[in-house]
Amino acid sequence: MVQTEDGSTPIASGSRCNNSVIDDVYKDTGSLFEEPSAMTTGTYVDEKERFRTLATLQLPRLYAISRRLVGDDAEDAVQDCLLRAFRKFSQLEDESAGPAWIASILINVCRDRGRYKARHPEEVSLDDVEEFSLYRTIADEDPFPYSDSLHLDFLHQFTREDVHHVLLSLPEIYRVPLVLVHMDGFATKEVARIIEAPLGTVLARLHRGRKLFERKMWDYAGESGMLKEVVS
Amino acid sequence: MISCSQATKQLWDYVEGAVDGAQRRVIEEHLSVCRRCCGEVEFAEELRGFLAAHGDTDLPEEVKVRLTSFLDEL
Ligand SMILES: [Zn+2]
């Protein structure tokens, strides 16, 4: 933290700090803290307000991402994310990157929770999935014999809640890239950075995730009686 | 010429623009003679729009209230 000899804040110091009174309070104890956090810098009030503004604006998006990644634990995950983000907020240098920054914290919180593993232990044979084509399956099985737009009719059977169920049935490693890229508009490179995996890995998981999603949609439609209802 | 199953494996990536020029030409060559795979491409595009359209989840009012007061307590 830059300060002049008399303890006042220099003009154009390049620091975000502009509250010299609180700076003075912490001037002597500052060294006790390895890294200045939102709690120890003089900008506490100001910073807290900026964080609150960022987080409030992002809440709908964070909650939506969280719902898709951890289902019913979404609210808890968002809370964890807000806590972590608040502690690290002073490290965010460019606040215009705030939305991407806070989303990446959320995604890592969701991945850390790890509860999806317990709920969905079954591994899918990816060889089968690789060969699967939802388009062809619908055409071959012809679930709506009187329809002239079979494929669209199939998709229209799915409510938001149904899609949610299908997504949650995917193993986490495939669900995360699929949701982030196709539903939340992240670039594949950005996903690679957030989950700290090589781009090639993300692309391969995305590819399999899409195939798996197709397969699970078909299974779900059968299990939930979606196809029968329309035929009868 | 690649087979339908070879083409199918790459169609999503094709739709995404995630294939290189050589792969793209091979796929397009196949598409020019295969109606079924053209259907696959259309469907992949449909499914892509479908996923994007199911992307927004509403933030329920009570969750919003709880998360906002959580923020206030930080
Ligand atoms: Zn073909």
Side-chain angles (χ1 to χ4, degrees):
Chain A
M1 198 154 298
V2 185
Q3 287 201 334
T4 54
E5 300 220 335
D6 65 1
S8 67
T9 309
I11 297 163
S13 65
S15 158
R16 271 199 251 120
C17 168
N18 57 12
N19 191 332
S20 60
V21 178
I22 300 177
D23 274 353
D24 283 345
V25 173
Y26 284 103
K27 193 161 60 174
D28 297 322
T29 54
S31 60
L32 291 172
F33 302 94
E34 294 269 321
E35 276 189 327
S37 73
M39 299 300 289
T40 57
T41 61
T43 54
Y44 179 67
V45 175
D46 180 38
E47 202 155 78
K48 185 177 173 180
E49 199 41 47
R50 292 206 315 278
F51 177 74
R52 206 177 166 281
T53 306
L54 165 70
T56 305
L57 277 172
Q58 292 302 312
L59 277 183
R61 177 164 177 253
L62 294 176
Y63 184 73
I65 295 174
S66 188
R67 275 281 289 168
R68 291 191 281 273
L69 294 182
V70 295
D72 293 341
D73 296 335
E75 190 176 341
D76 278 0
V78 173
Q79 287 195 0
D80 278 358
C81 158
L82 294 176
L83 265 179
R84 273 198 217 181
F86 181 56
R87 291 199 194 108
K88 292 200 220 167
F89 186 58
S90 61
Q91 297 168 22
L92 176 67
E93 285 177 3
D94 173 10
E95 286 188 23
S96 67
W101 172 80
I102 200 167
S104 74
I105 291 173
L106 174 74
I107 291 158
N108 283 308
V109 166
C110 290
R111 295 175 73 229
D112 288 351
R113 292 182 82 83
R115 291 175 60 183
Y116 38 80
K117 280 178 197 151
R119 225 181 293 156
H120 303 290
E122 101 276 18
E123 246 319 315
V124 211
S125 161
L126 290 173
D127 290 345
D128 290 354
V129 167
E130 198 67 39
E131 296 296 328
F132 183 78
S133 154
L134 182 57
Y135 173 80
R136 247 181 297 143
T137 306
I138 295 170
D140 295 347
E141 302 284 329
D142 197 7
F144 316 124
Y146 303 108
S147 168
D148 49 8
S149 56
L150 204 52
H151 292 87
L152 288 185
D153 285 354
F154 177 84
L155 291 183
H156 290 157
Q157 301 297 313
F158 284 78
T159 64
R160 203 166 281 255
E161 233 5 69
D162 293 325
V163 174
H164 185 68
H165 272 103
V166 174
L167 284 170
L168 285 178
S169 73
L170 301 183
E172 179 261 357
I173 61 164
Y174 303 115
R175 182 165 73 244
V176 168
L178 185 74
V179 160
L180 294 180
V181 171
H182 289 298
M183 302 178 95
D184 296 307
F186 284 81
T188 45
K189 268 187 205 160
E190 209 173 353
V191 175
R193 189 183 53 75
I194 293 169
I195 70 170
E196 293 173 11
L199 181 60
T201 305
V202 171
L203 291 174
R205 287 181 186 173
L206 191 58
H207 174 81
R208 285 183 182 159
R210 287 186 294 238
K211 282 294 176 190
L212 206 49
F213 179 71
E214 291 188 12
R215 169 88 236 185
K216 295 277 185 181
M217 275 187 91
W218 179 253
D219 293 347
Y220 182 86
E223 285 158 16
S224 62
M226 243 178 224
L227 308 176
K228 250 182 281 164
E229 262 170 44
V230 182
V231 173
S232 62
Chain B
M1 177 72 77
I2 53 172
S3 67
C4 285
S5 93
Q6 284 171 308
T8 304
K9 282 181 191 173
Q10 303 179 68
L11 289 181
W12 261 98
D13 292 328
Y14 171 76
V15 168
E16 289 288 305
V19 294
D20 63 28
Q23 270 175 296
R24 170 168 291 273
R25 274 190 297 280
V26 170
I27 294 168
E28 281 172 356
E29 189 192 6
H30 182 90
L31 290 176
S32 68
V33 296
C34 180
R35 238 185 110 202
R36 190 169 69 169
C37 284
C38 288
E40 293 263 12
V41 167
E42 271 172 38
F43 186 64
E45 273 163 357
E46 205 61 60
L47 205 47
R48 201 166 158 238
F50 173 84
L51 273 171
H54 285 75
D56 46 302
T57 304
D58 294 332
L59 177 61
E61 194 53 37
E62 71 270 18
V63 177
K64 186 181 167 185
V65 168
R66 280 197 298 269
L67 287 173
T68 306
S69 66
F70 183 79
L71 264 178
D72 290 338
E73 302 288 311
L74 282 176

